[in-house]
Amino acid sequence: MANNEQTFIMIKPDGVARGLVGEVIKRFEQKGYYLRALKMMNVPKELAEEHYVDLSSKPFYKGLVNYIVSGPVVATVWEGKGVVVTGRKLVGATNPLASEPGSIRGDFCIDVGRNVIHGSDAVESAKREIGLWFPEGLADNKPELKWVYES
């Protein structure tokens, strides 16, 4: 597995409002992942609709889109070995009541509709989401990875 796998993690409006941005960043950094991009933004409705297009036939789609545009989010890209799968473990199950203690949702959430965070579910969806949220591309800065990975 390559050390340069990337994932998209979004801290949703409830996570931003509750002051959990630093906690989310801390957990990913402590795990050893590298923050490649970060921006706080108000989400245009068109971007929210495109991001959740795979859920557009679900009855909760309109409410989800309206929720994501209701306040600022923090969009991030993380890089490292196995970051998509491990990132999902750090995030926790979509339903916070089914999330393990120690995961972000397991520690900070109760309701599905206020589950603090989004994480890409596969390498392909991560690539699509990163392209949507960071059309300008990522900064070309790399950390000294010898402190994270064996040679």
Side-chain angles (χ1 to χ4, degrees), residues 87-110:
R88 293 288 291 186
K89 290 177 184 173
L90 290 171
V91 166
T94 301
N95 181 346
L97 296 177
S99 289
E100 295 293 325
S103 69
I104 293 163
R105 289 177 176 153
D107 289 350
F108 299 111
C109 307
I110 296 172

Side-chain angles (χ1 to χ4, degrees), residues 28-151:
F28 277 81
E29 286 183 333
Q30 284 181 332
K31 185 69 179 172
Y33 293 122
Y34 173 58
L35 181 61
R36 285 296 310 273
L38 178 145
K39 62 181 168 184
M40 183 177 208
M41 62 187 287
N42 291 309
V43 182
K45 187 173 185 180
E46 298 77 25
L47 176 57
E49 289 171 340
E50 182 62 26
H51 178 82
Y52 289 115
V53 70
D54 59 322
L55 301 174
S56 61
S57 65
K58 304 288 185 183
F60 57 83
Y61 173 75
K62 184 177 178 183
L64 178 59
V65 168
N66 289 337
Y67 171 62
I68 292 301
V69 303
S70 70
V73 304
V74 173
T76 64
V77 176
W78 292 90
E79 184 172 295
K81 187 176 184 179
V83 72
V84 172
V85 170
T86 303
R88 293 288 291 186
K89 290 177 184 173
L90 290 171
V91 166
T94 301
N95 181 346
L97 296 177
S99 289
E100 295 293 325
S103 69
I104 293 163
R105 289 177 176 153
D107 289 350
F108 299 111
C109 307
I110 296 172
D111 286 329
V112 173
R114 297 295 182 265
N115 65 6
V116 173
I117 192 167
H118 164 84
S120 300
D121 61 3
V123 172
E124 275 57 27
S125 60
K127 287 177 184 175
R128 181 179 92 61
E129 291 169 352
I130 291 167
L132 279 174
W133 292 84
F134 292 91
E136 68 278 11
L138 308 180
D140 190 24
N141 55 336
K142 290 286 192 176
E144 182 60 53
L145 294 177
K146 70 180 182 183
W147 303 116
V148 180
Y149 303 109
E150 294 177 329
S151 297

